[in-house]
């Protein structure tokens, strides 16, 4: 008697079970399985099976389909697969990921979710028995007689007779030979393009229908070679018919060799140079984009994401292509540096509408700015590696909306792993190995990702390669040091590998008398920060100084002396006189009048306030002199400041106690996105040890949680006890404070007076003392 799937898992041993869990990491999320029975259930789930198959090379996928067909048709596997294939080796590979397992007497057991993932293995349709079970007796009798049957037996006998006739290759060949012209071509079309087709050239079957000329479709239907499966005129060819038409000599070839990917040597210095330029550009553009979003939230579409108009505006603002903006937006969002603000409620005449409040940097952005350039780069590169979508890929010729929710299908992160695995490292001579033909990489990746349609796979692979160049992970068509680090998790960290690339950043700028600063190469982060402080970016790697940009720096609390000193430190030569004159002139006028929030008063020189009171452009302020040095206005402080600046003045704002209001020190930040629970994962080694130790233990339920909390969670109020028990029992997850530590707990199991749970933050199972739970978090 064959062992069950959980028994088979328990008998693998620690090393093989660790290897299985490393190959199928999705089964460890969000809460690791506690026992082999739970692991078996997850490994058999169609979602997990689909993910495992998406990483399975083409010969393994074809072998799985052949095993499925052999099991359904009763034919030996050797009758379906061409000779010469390494069947034991391929089966070993499938067994290592638990898609197939060997049983007693050489029997092969497939994962339970495979039929749902592969409904048409080898392009074959459903079994005749399943199709004919839903056909009326009248229709069965009609086909039975056309196939040479006699009498009107019962339905079971009719099904057996039709099945016997249609699965005989010789009898079917003689039958098709009498068919009208074009029938064989129609049947071959079913064989080549799949088992289902829409045929709408004839009315529904019925005895009282008028006799019509026999067409290929009608003849195939009348003789049971295709059967209707819905009211939309969709017809399928049964598996038995397709196998009989292909003939007993038909075999499938298992292509063991992947398509070749040619390489050529390239100097490592050239790879490092191109990757360095791209990496520095990435950091510069990412910082500029986040700075722009910090100054004014990016408008968000109602359905989520950033629209085309905003992408074009940012492309002009940053001086880069629109695809680069899309990549940056999804990148900083995936890194947790950018997020949507809470929605706002807007009252209209008819109802209260919920509207997006824009997209702004999060608090993690401030922490990211304090990191070293290498660590900042690593945060972006690692976020791209985990990204489930390809930001620059086209869908039906249209670009993807940045920050929009990801769709379904094979994650792009899986495709990146395959693509990077196809790219070679350094050659024996120490040179880098470049892959000049992206189409060859796409063809080889398609061999490794057989579930993806070839066209879709090509689109994603080309997008992955293009994004890798923009990120500095590829240089001169070869993997750069950070790219190699991403591909090899056990090797050096991405930040360490990128440190050398970022060392060549420009730390000085050329200042011109036209009030511009030009950086002749990728700027360092420190240089960018100094220039952004008092100048506005322009396309082409230049900055322009103006009265408004200098005033922005003064409003942020900097002095003229500090600005001049900071610019002199990054200047390749002496600062031009026009620039220092501009800074000192703006500083001299800065604060000559003051706006005090007393609903609202303007304080300043007597003659100047008299000028303001008579100024035509300030009529909207409705100014009124309260005293020679005090002017009252009808607008609030923010509007008054804006109006005075539009009129050419340089006011400053003060608090009610007289202190200067410094702008820019407390920027608006979007709430940080909650950390994904998928990040807290038990390592395969620890998970394997846990599962083997728990093999054979009974599976307790979640019943009794309410009584347990009511009795032992004494530090909580009755309402809080009820709430946390309900959350754990019905949702399986709750956030609590236990012994002063905030924890997200899942998968509860009762252990006497204690609660055995999975804690996401430390990524481990813990036994909690309910008396030490002091708070339930939202």
């Amino acid at each position: 008697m064959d062992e069950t799937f959980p028994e088979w898992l328990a008998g693998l041993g620690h090393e093989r079970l660790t290897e299985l869990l490393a190959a199928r990491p999705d089964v460890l999320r969000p809460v690791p399985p506690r026992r082999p029975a739970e692991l078996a259930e997850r490994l058999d789930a169609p979602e997990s099976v689909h993910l495992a198959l998406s990483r399975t090379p083409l010969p393994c996928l074809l072998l799985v389909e052949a095993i499925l067909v052999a099991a359904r048709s009763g034919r030996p596997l050797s009758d379906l697969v061409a000779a010469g294939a390494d069947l034991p080796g391929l089966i070993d590979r499938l067994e290592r990921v638990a898609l197939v397992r060997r049983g007693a007497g050489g029997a092969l057991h497939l994962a339970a979710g495979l039929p749902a993932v592969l409904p048409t293995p080898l392009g074959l349709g459903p079994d005749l028995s399943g199709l004919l079970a839903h056909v009326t007796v009248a229709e069965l009798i009609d086909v039975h007689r056309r196939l040479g049957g006699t009498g009107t037996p019962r339905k079971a006998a009719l099904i057996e007779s039709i099945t016997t006739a249609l699965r005989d290759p010789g009898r079917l060949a003689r039958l098709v030979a009498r068919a009208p012209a074009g029938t064989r071509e129609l049947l071959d079309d079913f064989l080549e393009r799949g088992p289902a087709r829409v045929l709408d050239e004839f009315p529904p079957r019925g005895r009282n229908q008028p006799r019509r000329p026999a067409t290929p479709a009608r003849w195939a239907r009348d003789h049971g070679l295709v059967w209707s499966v819905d009211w939309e005129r969709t017809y399928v060819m049964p598996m038995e018919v397709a196998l009989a038409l292909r003939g007993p000599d038909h075999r499938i070839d298992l292509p063991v060799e992947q398509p070749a990917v040619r390489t050529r040597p390239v100097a490592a210095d050239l790879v490092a140079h191109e990757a360095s330029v791209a990496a520095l550009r990435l950091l510069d553009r990412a910082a500029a984009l986040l700075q722009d979003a910090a100054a004014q939230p990016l408008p968000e579409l109602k359905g989520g994401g950033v629209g085309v108009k905003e992408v074009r505006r940012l492309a002009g603002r940053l001086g880069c292509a629109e695809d680069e903006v899309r990549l940056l937006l999804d990148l900083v969002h995936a890194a947790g540096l950018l997020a949507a603000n809470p929605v706002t409620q807007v009252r209209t005449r008819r109802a209260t509408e919920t509207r997006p409040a824009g997209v702004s940097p999060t608090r993690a952005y401030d922490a990211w700015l304090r990191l070293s350039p290498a660590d900042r780069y690593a945060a972006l590169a690692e976020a791209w590696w985990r990204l489930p979508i390809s930001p620059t890929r086209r869908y039906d010729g249209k670009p993807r909306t940045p920050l929009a929710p990801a769709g379904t299908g094979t994650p792009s992160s899986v495709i990146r792993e395959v693509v990077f695995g196809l790219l070679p490292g350094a050659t024996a001579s120490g040179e880098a190995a470049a892959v000049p033909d992206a189409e060859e990489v796409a063809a080889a990746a398609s061999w490794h990702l057989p579930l993806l349609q070839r066209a879709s796979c090509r689109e994603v692979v080309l997008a992955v390669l293009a994004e890798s160049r923009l990120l500095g992970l590829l240089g001169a068509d070869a993997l750069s040091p950070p790219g190699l680090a991403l591909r090899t998790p056990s090797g050096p960290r991405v930040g360490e590998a990128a440190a050398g690339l970022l060392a060549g950043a420009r730390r000085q700028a050329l200042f011109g008398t036209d009030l511009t600063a030009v950086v002749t190469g990728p700027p360092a982060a420190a240089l960018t920060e100094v220039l952004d402080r008092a100048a506005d970016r322009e396309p082409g790697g230049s900055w322009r100084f103006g009265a408004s940009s200098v005033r922005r720096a003064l409003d942020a609390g900097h002095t003229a002396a500090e600005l001049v000193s900071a610019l002199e430190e990054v200047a390749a030569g002496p600062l031009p006189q026009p620039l220092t004159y501009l800074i000192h002139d703006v500083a001299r006028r800065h604060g000559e009048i003051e706006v005090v929030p007393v609903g609202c008063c303007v304080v300043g020189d007597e003659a100047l306030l008299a000028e303001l009171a008579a100024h035509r452009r300030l009529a909207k302020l409705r100014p009124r002199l309260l005293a020679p040095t005090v002017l009252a206005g009808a607008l609030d402080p923010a509007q008054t400041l804006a109006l005075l600046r539009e009129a050419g003045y340089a006011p400053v704002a003060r608090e009610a106690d007289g202190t200067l209001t410094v702008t820019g020190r407390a920027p608006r930040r979007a709430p940080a996105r909650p950390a994904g629970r998928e990040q807290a994962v038990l390592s395969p080694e620890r998970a394997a040890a846990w599962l083997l130790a728990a093999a054979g233990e009974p599976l307790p339920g979640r019943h009794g949680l309410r009584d347990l909390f009511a009795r032992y969670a004494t530090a909580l109020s009755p309402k809080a006890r009820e709430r946390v028990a309900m959350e754990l029992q019905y949702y399986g997850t709750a956030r609590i404070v236990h012994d002063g530590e905030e924890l997200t707990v899942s998968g509860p199991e009762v252990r006497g007076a204690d609660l055995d749970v999975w804690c996401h933050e430390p990524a481990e199972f813990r036994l909690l003392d309910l008396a030490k739970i002091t708070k339930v978090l939202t």
Side-chain angles (χ1 to χ4, degrees):
M1 180 178 177
D2 281 344
E3 58 187 351
T4 63
F5 193 14
E7 292 171 345
W8 180 82
L9 290 170
L12 287 179
H14 185 267
E15 184 177 351
R16 285 197 59 195
L17 187 56
T18 299
E19 181 185 354
L20 169 60
L21 295 175
R24 304 276 297 272
D26 57 290
V27 299
L28 298 179
R29 301 184 180 98
V31 181
R34 294 176 180 267
R35 296 166 184 79
E38 188 178 353
L39 174 62
E41 184 178 348
R42 296 191 187 190
L43 290 170
D44 273 342
E47 297 81 6
S48 180
V49 169
H50 183 278
L51 196 58
L53 278 177
S54 66
R55 305 168 184 258
T56 302
L58 181 59
C60 291
L61 175 67
L62 291 176
L63 180 57
V64 167
E65 295 189 29
I67 297 173
L68 271 172
V69 173
R72 287 170 48 188
S73 65
R75 295 177 60 175
L77 184 61
S78 57
D79 286 355
L80 299 171
V81 178
D86 181 18
L87 293 184
L90 295 175
I91 292 173
D92 284 341
R93 185 165 185 171
L94 291 169
E95 194 171 32
R96 285 198 295 270
V97 293
L99 292 174
V100 172
R101 57 188 174 89
R102 292 182 175 91
L108 296 177
H109 301 285
L110 295 170
L114 275 171
V117 178
L118 300 172
T120 58
L122 301 182
L124 300 174
D127 305 343
L128 264 172
S129 57
L131 283 173
L132 302 187
H134 304 286
V135 178
T136 63
V137 173
E139 293 181 31
L140 292 176
I141 291 174
D142 187 33
V143 174
H144 170 70
R145 290 177 176 174
R146 291 179 186 274
L147 293 176
T150 58
T152 54
R154 293 181 177 274
K155 186 172 185 178
L158 286 170
I159 293 175
E160 183 179 356
S161 172
I162 293 172
T163 302
T164 302
L166 293 179
R167 71 190 312 171
D168 184 348
R171 186 172 177 181
L172 196 61
R174 292 190 297 272
L175 180 68
V176 174
R178 304 195 306 267
T183 303
R184 186 69 211 196
E185 288 75 9
L186 174 68
L187 299 177
D188 288 342
D189 189 55
F190 272 90
L191 294 176
E192 293 173 6
R193 295 175 51 198
R197 194 79 69 256
V198 175
L199 302 176
D200 54 4
E201 58 182 276
F202 45 78
R205 189 195 310 267
R207 288 189 172 185
N208 298 325
Q209 295 294 333
R211 191 172 184 83
R212 295 174 178 236
T215 64
R218 186 174 299 112
W219 187 92
R221 184 204 64 176
D222 291 343
H223 289 79
L225 303 186
V226 295
W227 295 84
S228 175
V229 293
D230 57 27
W231 293 100
E232 302 296 330
R233 308 297 181 123
T234 301
Y235 283 76
V236 298
M237 177 179 286
M239 176 191 66
E240 292 86 350
V241 173
L243 288 174
L245 288 173
R246 288 177 178 177
D249 298 330
H250 178 79
R251 302 286 190 276
I252 61 166
D253 291 317
L254 302 182
V256 179
E257 296 294 332
Q258 74 169 37
V261 178
R262 293 173 297 168
T263 63
R264 60 175 175 81
V266 62
D269 291 344
L270 178 60
V271 175
H273 171 71
E274 290 195 9
S276 174
V277 171
L280 290 165
R281 177 186 174 90
L282 170 73
L283 283 182
D284 179 52
R285 296 299 189 271
L289 184 147
L290 289 165
Q291 183 185 29
D292 187 275
Q296 180 68 35
L298 306 179
E300 185 184 11
L301 301 174
K302 285 186 177 182
V306 177
V308 175
K309 288 185 179 180
E310 185 62 15
V311 169
R312 289 174 180 166
R313 184 192 73 80
L314 287 171
R317 173 83 173 82
L318 303 180
C320 60
E322 292 180 18
D323 272 352
E324 194 171 350
V325 172
R326 293 186 180 92
L327 174 63
L328 288 171
L329 284 169
D330 280 320
L331 211 54
V332 296
H333 179 259
L337 309 179
L338 192 72
N341 294 304
V343 296
T344 57
Q345 302 289 333
V346 180
R347 284 190 176 183
T348 63
R349 292 182 177 180
R350 296 182 177 180
T352 301
E353 296 181 358
T354 300
R355 295 181 181 175
V359 181
S360 298
T362 65
R363 294 191 182 277
Y365 163 59
D366 301 306
W368 180 76
L369 287 175
R370 294 191 291 269
L371 296 174
S372 66
D375 288 338
R376 262 182 277 169
Y377 173 82
L380 297 178
E382 289 168 355
W384 176 79
W385 188 250
R386 299 187 303 265
L387 205 59
I389 49 93
S390 293
T392 62
R393 181 191 172 187
R394 288 317 197 251
Y395 295 85
D396 296 329
K398 298 180 181 179
R400 180 183 179 276
T401 301
L403 276 59
T408 58
T410 302
S412 293
S413 55
V414 173
I415 301 173
R416 292 187 191 100
E417 292 179 14
V418 171
V419 171
F420 273 55
L422 293 170
L423 302 177
T427 63
S429 60
E431 295 181 305
V435 179
D437 194 341
E439 296 291 346
E440 290 183 354
V441 179
S446 181
W447 187 86
H448 284 278
L449 302 163
L451 284 187
L452 278 178
Q453 292 183 357
R454 185 173 293 272
S456 298
C457 184
R458 176 183 177 275
E459 291 173 359
V460 181
V461 169
L462 295 182
V464 166
L465 292 174
E467 292 164 12
S468 300
R469 296 186 186 96
L470 292 174
L471 292 170
L473 301 173
L474 282 181
D477 296 323
L479 280 175
S480 67
L484 287 168
L486 269 182
R487 187 180 72 172
T488 314
S490 58
R493 293 176 55 248
V494 176
E496 296 172 359
L501 298 182
L502 302 176
R506 302 292 184 182
R507 289 173 170 76
Q508 289 186 321
L510 300 175
F511 291 86
T513 56
D514 59 348
L515 300 180
T516 61
V518 178
V519 182
T520 58
L527 174 60
T528 299
E529 191 277 329
V530 171
L531 295 177
D532 283 339
R533 187 186 304 170
D536 295 323
R537 285 178 180 254
E538 291 190 336
S542 63
W543 281 256
R544 180 170 296 279
F545 294 85
S548 60
S549 64
V550 173
R551 184 178 67 239
R552 182 180 68 228
L554 298 175
D555 288 343
H558 301 286
T559 65
E562 290 174 349
L563 289 178
V564 172
S565 175
L567 292 173
E568 286 176 340
E569 289 180 3
V570 299
L575 286 181
Q577 265 191 343
L579 178 56
T580 57
Y581 284 170
L582 172 68
I583 294 173
H584 287 295
D585 183 56
V586 173
R588 178 179 55 81
R589 299 184 60 207
H590 189 257
E592 61 186 358
I593 55 176
E594 302 172 354
V595 174
V596 181
V598 187
C600 165
C601 292
V602 181
V603 181
D605 180 74
E606 180 177 346
L608 184 57
L609 290 187
E611 177 187 329
L612 294 180
H615 203 299
R616 291 183 178 180
R617 293 181 62 182
L618 299 178
K620 186 178 179 181
L621 184 62
R622 288 186 285 172
R624 182 169 61 91
L625 283 169
L626 300 180
T629 58
V630 181
L631 181 72
L635 304 181
D636 60 35
Q639 294 172 308
T640 303
L641 284 168
L643 195 61
L644 289 172
R645 286 168 178 163
E646 287 177 7
Y649 298 93
V652 295
R654 290 191 180 274
E655 301 294 339
D657 60 1
T659 58
L660 183 67
T661 301
V662 178
T663 61
R665 289 189 178 176
R668 180 180 183 181
R669 291 291 179 258
R673 294 185 291 110
R677 290 175 185 160
E678 66 275 8
Q679 297 176 4
V681 181
L682 201 62
S683 68
E685 294 82 1
R686 292 178 59 197
W690 180 276
L691 286 162
L692 293 175
E697 286 188 6
L699 182 63
R702 299 175 185 171
H703 303 291
L705 285 175
R706 296 174 65 181
D707 294 338
L708 189 72
F709 274 90
R711 181 177 299 180
Y712 297 107
T714 54
L716 296 175
S717 66
K719 186 175 180 180
R721 297 176 204 171
E722 179 78 12
R723 176 182 155 199
V724 67
M726 295 290 284
E727 286 182 356
L728 287 173
Q729 183 163 347
Y730 292 103
Y731 301 105
T733 299
R735 295 190 65 233
I736 61 172
V737 176
H738 178 267
D739 200 14
E741 183 181 7
E742 291 189 8
L743 295 173
T744 303
V745 297
S746 299
E749 289 190 1
V750 177
R751 305 282 184 182
D754 297 321
L755 195 65
D756 189 5
V757 293
W758 168 255
C759 300
H760 291 274
E761 289 77 10
E764 65 183 13
F765 288 105
R766 285 187 184 177
L767 205 61
L768 301 184
D769 183 353
L770 296 186
K772 294 183 179 180
I773 300 177
T774 56
K775 191 176 182 181
V776 182
L777 303 174
T778 55

